[in-house]
Amino acid sequence: MKKKLILLGPPGAGKGTVGSRLSVIWGLPLISSGDLLREHLKRGTEAGSNAGKYMEKGELVPDEIVIKMIEEKLTGPLCREGFIIDGFPRTIVQAEMLDTIVDDAGETKVIYLKAGDDFLVERLSLRRVCGGCGKIYHLVNLPPLKEGICDFCGRALIQRDDDKEEIIRRRLDVYRRMTAPLIEYYRSKNILHMVSGEGKLEDTVSEIKKIAKW
Ligand code: AMP
């Protein structure tokens, strides 16, 4: 059965960390719109340099840029058995597009990771990511074995430019205006499940496994 999981929630709720654990457990690819955009930015593609102007301000990249990248991935061979998506959709237009991109085979579940603003600002300020493989760390709760170095690929950890407090606040504001309406969108389709994003990683992961029953 094709398994399709959409991780919704404000920035810092843990979508990337939880998604990468579930990706290993279920053997499904994790498709992160933020990672795809950062990859394009790094490679200096036209889409990437257009997107960068919005990303550095904490604003949403125009729908058509993101939708094209996501569509390419989701309809490719990598996602034949299903996928986990993190960071997409972020607007109603994106959600409607996703409905047309994804076929009806199998099951779709939407998990909303819930967390309060103060918690999110603190978590994002303490987040570090590997500049090489993108693995996510937290200076207190999920530190690397060796300070500043990725456990997996040995490259240096960095703080994302948009993980600075002023930009984090902007991202939360954008989230509330543009993305939070998706809660109702998916609730009305009866596929939405709320899970706390403030607990321990393993607790959140096991709750999602119980909900999905995959
Ligand atoms: P993330 O890694 O999910 O926190 O995303 C980082 C930044 O990439 C966001 O602040 C947006 O500027 C941009 N971005 C990621 N996903 C989307 C999306 N689905 N729609 C529009 N912009 C996005």
Side-chain angles (χ1 to χ4, degrees):
M1 185 192 59
K2 192 163 179 177
K3 299 163 181 164
K4 295 168 281 184
L5 188 83
I6 300 171
L7 289 170
L8 273 190
K15 301 183 298 293
T17 309
V18 166
S20 60
R21 275 295 287 138
L22 290 170
S23 158
V24 172
I25 293 169
W26 288 326
L28 291 174
L30 174 67
I31 310 296
S32 153
S33 50
D35 284 351
L36 286 174
L37 287 163
R38 280 184 289 276
E39 222 175 273
H40 273 263
L41 192 61
K42 223 167 154 178
R43 294 204 330 254
T45 68
E46 196 188 332
S49 56
N50 279 333
K53 293 182 275 207
Y54 298 89
M55 293 165 80
E56 67 188 23
K57 289 187 270 181
E59 284 164 15
L60 292 188
V61 170
D63 286 333
E64 58 275 14
I65 298 180
V66 192
I67 288 169
K68 188 157 175 276
M69 285 179 195
I70 289 285
E71 184 170 15
E72 266 168 28
K73 285 279 171 194
L74 297 188
T75 54
L78 184 71
C79 294
R80 224 179 4 233
E81 305 294 323
F83 51 77
I84 299 168
I85 332 182
D86 148 26
F88 186 95
R90 257 178 161 97
T91 62
I92 295 281
V93 171
Q94 291 180 14
E96 288 169 349
M97 275 310 294
L98 186 61
D99 287 343
T100 68
I101 294 169
V102 174
D103 56 31
D104 290 334
E107 251 180 12
T108 301
K109 309 245 181 208
V110 181
I111 301 290
Y112 177 79
L113 289 175
K114 197 170 180 238
D117 278 12
D118 291 344
F119 177 90
L120 294 168
V121 173
E122 184 179 330
R123 185 189 264 170
L124 288 174
S125 313
L126 293 172
R127 174 162 79 177
R128 296 294 180 273
V129 295
C130 173
C133 70
K135 168 102 177 90
I136 303 165
Y137 295 87
H138 181 280
L139 292 184
V140 178
N141 300 333
L142 205 61
L145 294 170
K146 201 168 155 207
E147 201 186 318
I149 302 291
C150 178
D151 296 348
F152 292 86
C153 73
R155 303 272 291 273
L157 303 187
I158 53 165
Q159 182 174 30
R160 272 170 48 177
D161 287 340
D162 61 351
D163 279 347
K164 312 270 160 73
E165 180 154 353
E166 189 197 329
I167 308 289
I168 294 171
R169 299 263 175 210
R170 173 92 54 86
R171 288 161 66 202
L172 288 172
D173 180 51
V174 167
Y175 171 80
R176 261 187 298 273
R177 282 187 290 114
M178 308 297 287
T179 310
L182 292 179
I183 297 174
E184 268 321 303
Y185 182 87
Y186 286 115
R187 191 178 272 143
S188 68
K189 290 177 181 279
N190 271 326
I191 51 174
L192 183 81
H193 303 267
M194 293 267 185
V195 171
S196 170
E198 296 192 15
K200 286 206 185 92
L201 172 62
E202 287 312 316
D203 294 341
T204 309
V205 166
S206 64
E207 205 176 328
I208 297 173
K209 277 166 64 188
K210 259 189 241 152
I211 291 168
K213 299 191 198 82
W214 290 343

